[in-house]
Amino acid sequence: MAFTTENRSQATAHTDEEIDLQAIASRIKNGQITRVVVLTGAGISTAAGIPDFRSPNTGLYDKLAPLNLPYPEAIFHISYFSHTPEPFYAIAQARHPGNLKPTISHAFIALLAKKNVLHFAFTQNIDGLEQDMGVPVDKIIWAHGNWKSQHCWKCKAEYPEDSMKKAIREGEVPYCQQPECGGAVKPNVVFFGQSLPLEFDEKQKLVPEADLMLVMGTSLKVAPCSQLPRLVKEGTPRVLINIERSGDIGSRKEDVCVLGSCDDGVRKFADKLGWRDELEALWSSVVETKKDDREFEGVPSLDECIAKAARQMDERLKISNGHKRMLESHLGNKLAQIKAKPTMQP
Ligand code: OAD
């Protein structure tokens, strides 16, 4: 990223990336940057205890190997869910946001709003932690939906909240209560093969209005959110805070890649903005008061849920193989009987 010598001379940090971040912070402080668009993904919630999807070994998709799915993303594909919803519900209790607390990265988005510089935030996460942290609901879109309501995937009938919580807690599939439907109930999260909320198209028009884009905790592998950073006008800085590089961020001269954990990155950014104490105080005020959801107390870990689901699927496979063998032997006996008896011939 190229900034003026004047900007660079204000910097106290040493690496190029820190100098660039300092220059951006100065432009926010002196009012040159007033419209920050944020895009987040699973990496801002890993510190809250939800594994991301694609990190090798620790990500959900690697962990799902024992389930022998046709491909890992199938667990979130509407066509797979429509006939095999069991794997989704087997892990739902371990990924349900009931007991989670926001991270300091969520708090940073809330602080941008408090400072009146949050133009808009897009999140791919379905945990709703931004709202818990106080990000105003008119400043954010949950592009992949959330757990706050649910309906039958087939007839679209709403399903009661308490029955849904019970199903998730027990790892059972909730089925539609409408007469003669029997479809599986699905939280209102967007699965592969489904459309994003209607307002997404409208809200993405806000991206070219940004004078800074902040991308945090996403591999930028899933469209259409992965395309949002490209909508930022040339010449406008884009900051990536992520463990690894993602998308095309780094390809423009104004881009800044702050590699490392999101929480470390936002603390670094807050230091440069002079907002660090306020950020920590805002975060603590929410984390300390957020009550645990007793409905989800003591739920098994994700690994335990997956191991249990793998055993159940194995059992089911043995049963269906057993059924197949029984039918084959029954058929074999019948054929033998038919052959043994003289049959009437025309
Ligand atoms: P991914 O798992 O694809 O990417 C998470 C990114 O965050 C990776 O680049 C990690 O290196 C990084 N990361 C993980 N923990 C981090 C941390 N503490 N600090 C900084 N970086 C960290 O998750 P998403 O990009 O959110 O959709 O995935 C997008 C969509 O794919 C999800 O919404 C989900 C998934 O399949 C559906 O299920 C429809």
Side-chain angles (χ1 to χ4, degrees):
M1 174 172 175
F3 272 101
T4 60
T5 330
E6 189 193 352
N7 279 337
R8 283 188 186 274
S9 65
Q10 291 167 5
T12 50
H14 300 294
T15 65
D16 280 353
E17 146 243 303
E18 289 196 348
I19 293 168
D20 293 339
L21 202 58
Q22 178 65 65
I24 288 173
S26 303
R27 290 171 63 188
I28 295 175
K29 281 198 291 182
N30 68 22
Q32 284 177 280
I33 289 178
T34 56
R35 292 186 303 265
V36 184
V37 168
V38 177
L39 168 63
T40 59
I44 69 161
S45 291
T46 51
I50 313 185
D52 67 5
F53 298 91
R54 296 180 179 79
S55 283
N57 305 318
T58 57
L60 178 68
Y61 291 151
D62 271 7
K63 281 175 181 277
L64 290 176
L67 298 188
N68 287 321
L69 300 172
Y71 57 98
E73 285 94 339
I75 194 167
F76 301 124
H77 200 294
I78 192 63
S79 63
Y80 185 76
F81 178 87
S82 65
H83 56 75
T84 312
E86 290 83 3
F88 176 79
Y89 280 100
I91 63 154
Q93 55 181 327
R95 289 186 74 80
H96 191 275
N99 279 345
L100 299 177
K101 295 184 176 178
T103 65
I104 199 147
S105 301
H106 296 100
F108 190 73
I109 308 168
L111 189 55
L112 288 172
K114 223 175 142 205
K115 299 281 185 186
N116 278 324
V117 292
L118 179 65
H119 195 48
F120 202 71
F122 296 82
T123 184
Q124 301 166 87
N125 298 345
I126 57 173
D127 53 37
L129 291 175
E130 304 82 2
Q131 194 176 351
D132 292 349
M133 194 54 240
V135 176
V137 290
D138 60 338
K139 289 276 179 191
I140 184 163
I141 183 169
W142 282 272
H144 293 175
N146 59 45
W147 285 91
K148 294 189 195 299
S149 54
Q150 51 281 322
H151 65 260
C152 167
W153 79 269
K154 204 168 163 188
C155 76
K156 313 291 180 235
E158 293 296 327
Y159 187 76
E161 177 70 23
D162 50 347
S163 309
M164 182 69 172
K165 279 195 166 179
K166 184 167 177 286
I168 293 171
R169 197 177 50 240
E170 289 167 6
E172 298 293 340
V173 179
Y175 284 103
C176 182
Q177 296 167 339
Q178 298 301 309
E180 296 179 25
C181 176
V185 172
K186 190 178 114 349
N188 289 339
V189 300
V190 180
F191 273 23
F192 291 111
Q194 292 193 298
S195 304
L196 268 64
L198 282 179
E199 68 262 39
F200 182 84
D201 282 352
E202 200 51 41
K203 297 301 181 192
Q204 64 176 341
K205 292 182 190 150
L206 297 172
V207 180
E209 295 174 3
D211 42 28
L212 170 66
M213 183 165 207
L214 175 59
V215 179
M216 298 196 286
T218 174
S219 62
L220 293 176
K221 295 254 165 72
V222 175
C225 284
S226 59
Q227 300 307 309
L228 293 176
R230 291 173 197 271
L231 302 181
V232 173
K233 277 199 189 118
E234 291 283 345
T236 298
R238 304 181 301 177
V239 172
L240 172 74
I241 304 182
N242 206 52
I243 285 177
E244 55 180 2
R245 283 180 185 273
S246 55
D248 75 335
I249 306 187
S251 64
R252 297 186 187 175
K253 72 177 187 337
E254 302 81 12
D255 290 346
V256 182
C257 296
V258 181
L259 300 184
S261 88
C262 290
D263 290 354
D264 286 351
V266 299
R267 283 193 163 104
K268 210 181 267 185
F269 206 177
D271 280 338
K272 298 188 187 313
L273 285 157
W275 296 354
R276 178 68 181 273
D277 290 347
E278 207 176 337
L279 177 68
E280 299 285 350
L282 180 65
W283 181 49
S284 314
S285 68
V286 169
V287 166
E288 279 160 19
T289 54
K290 188 171 188 260
K291 291 199 176 55
D292 287 344
D293 185 340
R294 294 190 168 269
E295 303 252 15
F296 293 97
E297 242 173 34
V299 295
S301 69
L302 178 65
D303 291 331
E304 287 164 342
C305 290
I306 291 171
K308 183 173 165 210
R311 282 196 301 276
Q312 283 172 346
M313 288 174 86
D314 207 36
E315 268 319 300
R316 271 199 289 271
L317 195 66
K318 274 188 205 144
I319 291 168
S320 62
N321 280 342
H323 254 89
K324 202 171 139 210
R325 281 196 300 276
M326 185 193 80
L327 286 172
E328 279 167 359
S329 108
H330 185 68
L331 199 61
N333 287 342
K334 278 279 171 212
L335 282 173
Q337 282 169 16
I338 290 164
K339 275 187 195 154
K341 280 188 197 163
T343 52
M344 201 155 62
Q345 300 289 334

